[in-house]
Amino acid sequence: MNIQENISLKKYNTFGINVNAKRFVSVNSLYELKNILKEEQNVFIISGGSNMLLTKDIEELVIHLNLKGISIDRENDNSVYLTVNTGENWHDFVLWCISLNYGGLENLSLIPGNVGTCPIQNIGAYGVEVKDTITKVEALEIETGKLVIFSNEECEFGYRNSIFKNQAKGKYIITSVSFELTKKNHALNTSYGAIEQELASKNITKPNIKNISDAIISIRQSKLPDPKKIGNSGSFFKNPVISLCHFEKLKSKFPEIPHYIISESSIKIPAGWLIEQSGFKGKRLGDYGVHEKQALVLVNYGNATGKNIYQLAQSIQNTIKSKFSINLEIEVNII
Ligand code: EPU
């Protein structure tokens, strides 16, 4: 076990925030991980580092999950069942599936992060959520060192939510995720406006999963910053859901307000629109700000601190609260 001291976490989080880990270890196997947990349970887990804002140095032992490997558990004519270790890069895994014509994840192309964190916030984009393909999640219980299996149902998935953000938070380390993907008759999801436009611009009328993935990659590249170039954590806030009555009041004041009907009594409003209307889109304060093409994304242009970005987030929340009476909930984990 190679524990290093005073390591910068800048390259381990997609926001590119430079905080110090007092002690740091990268683990490559379940065996190593179990051994570390026998010695130490006050740990801080980092995987792809794509959904966290680090606002302080980390005093606990930082464990970087680097467990790799994909296995095909079984397959039949229609489906393939895979188990993927936690440290595999998400987008590389999606591309691997597409190369083998395994369908179901193409709409989730180019999402930053690792496979092991995809269930935590139930990643979603362009009409698809990862919960639709997950069969089970395997996790180590930190306190006991025992492996526990969570079925899809037991993961209690919701919009950007799961048991791992609630009762199970801080208690488990996800070690692998299992998926069921289609081998033929893929259920293509092109209903999200921008996908159809993108396909039409390439004259594709009968898309396959590769075409859809390519379309999504180009849509995402056109409006979301590449974390390798500009530090960010994707959508910083959740899209808020408000009551119909609240929505009607807002609509009389802002007739053009975009919205999605969730149920008879609840309406989802794009947070990006609220933030743009409040004048924050493209705003830059020194080394940090709000992305110029997508107001839902906060960015670090270089040497911003987590506190800088958190303060900006709070000032956005306060403005949205007073202008629209809406509580914007932060999606990213604030550490
Ligand atoms: N909008 C604006 N200004 C902006 C951004 C958005 O007015 O700066 C309005 C537009 O009306 C637009 C609407 O918001 O039509 C929706 O925007 P978009 O389609 O870009 O999607 P989003 O609601 O901002 C969500 C997810 C993204 C996901 C996209 C595509 C959340 C919090 N975010 O964003 O997820 O990629 O849909 O499906 O649900 C992520 O979670 O990190 C993420 C990037």
Side-chain angles (χ1 to χ4, degrees):
M1 184 161 83
N2 176 23
I3 296 187
Q4 298 166 273
E5 285 182 7
N6 295 321
I7 293 291
S8 163
L9 294 180
K10 191 171 170 79
K11 69 171 184 187
Y12 295 99
N13 70 100
T14 61
F15 247 125
I17 303 290
N18 185 20
V19 298
N20 181 60
K22 218 174 202 176
R23 293 178 310 138
F24 175 95
V25 63
S26 192
V27 295
N28 303 312
S29 69
L30 198 53
Y31 174 78
E32 277 181 322
L33 181 59
K34 281 183 168 174
N35 274 340
I36 289 173
L37 291 179
K38 273 185 204 153
E39 308 278 316
E40 199 140 345
Q41 281 143 32
N42 191 17
V43 294
F44 178 86
I45 305 298
I46 202 159
S47 183
S50 62
N51 203 38
M52 56 171 67
L53 178 67
L54 296 166
T55 63
K56 56 178 193 290
D57 291 339
I58 308 294
E59 300 299 320
E60 300 95 337
L61 171 65
V62 174
I63 301 182
H64 173 235
L65 297 176
N66 196 32
L67 285 72
K68 304 276 191 198
I70 303 177
S71 60
I72 296 181
D73 301 328
R74 62 194 165 92
E75 58 187 312
N76 56 37
D77 287 349
N78 299 314
S79 302
V80 59
Y81 297 83
L82 305 165
T83 295
V84 187
N85 280 331
T86 191
E88 284 289 340
N89 173 271
W90 174 261
H91 181 58
D92 290 347
F93 166 56
V94 172
L95 293 182
W96 178 85
C97 292
I98 290 164
S99 72
L100 294 169
N101 194 34
Y102 297 158
L105 302 177
E106 53 284 353
N107 290 46
L108 303 178
S109 296
L110 211 63
I111 293 184
N114 286 351
V115 171
T117 39
C118 77
I120 301 178
Q121 54 152 334
N122 178 24
I123 57 173
Y126 305 99
V128 171
E129 288 184 321
V130 75
K131 73 172 173 54
D132 303 330
T133 50
I134 290 180
T135 54
K136 64 179 189 321
V137 171
E138 188 193 75
L140 256 186
E141 191 175 27
I142 295 174
E143 204 182 326
T144 61
K146 280 194 188 132
L147 275 180
V148 182
I149 305 281
F150 290 83
S151 66
N152 179 297
E153 210 168 61
E154 286 165 343
C155 291
E156 295 175 15
F157 289 121
Y159 165 61
R160 295 294 189 279
N161 206 1
S162 75
I163 192 166
F164 304 106
K165 279 183 128 181
N166 297 293
Q167 305 94 289
K169 189 172 178 175
K171 294 187 184 145
Y172 296 90
I173 300 172
I174 294 175
T175 52
S176 71
V177 183
S178 300
F179 300 87
E180 178 183 356
L181 302 176
T182 50
K183 286 169 63 179
K184 58 183 183 191
N185 302 327
H186 305 303
L188 303 183
N189 195 326
T190 58
S191 56
Y192 204 89
I195 302 179
E196 284 178 351
Q197 282 164 23
E198 184 68 29
L199 292 170
S201 75
K202 293 180 182 154
N203 293 322
I204 296 169
T205 47
K206 284 193 182 146
N208 57 31
I209 57 173
K210 169 90 167 60
N211 299 141
I212 293 179
S213 169
D214 288 345
I216 281 165
I217 290 173
S218 77
I219 297 168
R220 288 186 74 95
Q221 282 174 337
S222 72
K223 52 181 178 181
L224 293 169
D226 177 355
K228 289 194 190 105
K229 296 182 188 137
I230 302 177
N232 77 89
S233 207
S235 300
F236 197 88
F237 302 95
K238 288 187 188 184
N239 286 330
V241 175
I242 61 172
S243 69
L244 186 61
C245 166
H246 188 172
F247 171 69
E248 274 161 1
K249 276 189 205 139
L250 288 178
K251 194 162 164 54
S252 62
K253 224 168 146 192
F254 307 95
E256 75 295 359
I257 186 169
H259 59 280
Y260 314 104
I261 297 166
I262 300 291
S263 73
E264 269 177 24
S265 55
S266 54
I267 311 280
K268 192 182 264 186
I269 310 291
W273 183 85
L274 298 169
I275 299 169
E276 183 170 346
Q277 295 302 308
S278 306
F280 284 100
K281 190 171 184 172
K283 188 168 179 154
R284 184 169 175 169
L285 301 139
D287 253 1
Y288 61 102
V290 178
H291 189 52
E292 55 186 1
K293 294 186 191 141
Q294 164 55 286
L296 197 42
V297 179
L298 303 190
V299 290
N300 170 13
Y301 290 103
N303 293 314
T305 65
K307 285 199 175 91
N308 289 152
I309 292 171
Y310 188 49
Q311 273 162 10
L312 171 61
Q314 286 174 317
S315 124
I316 292 173
Q317 283 176 311
N318 293 338
T319 309
I320 304 279
K321 177 79 185 165
S322 56
K323 194 171 160 83
F324 301 99
S325 304
I326 290 179
N327 291 317
L328 262 199
E329 206 183 313
I330 293 179
E331 196 215 300
V332 169
N333 283 311
I334 308 294
I335 308 294

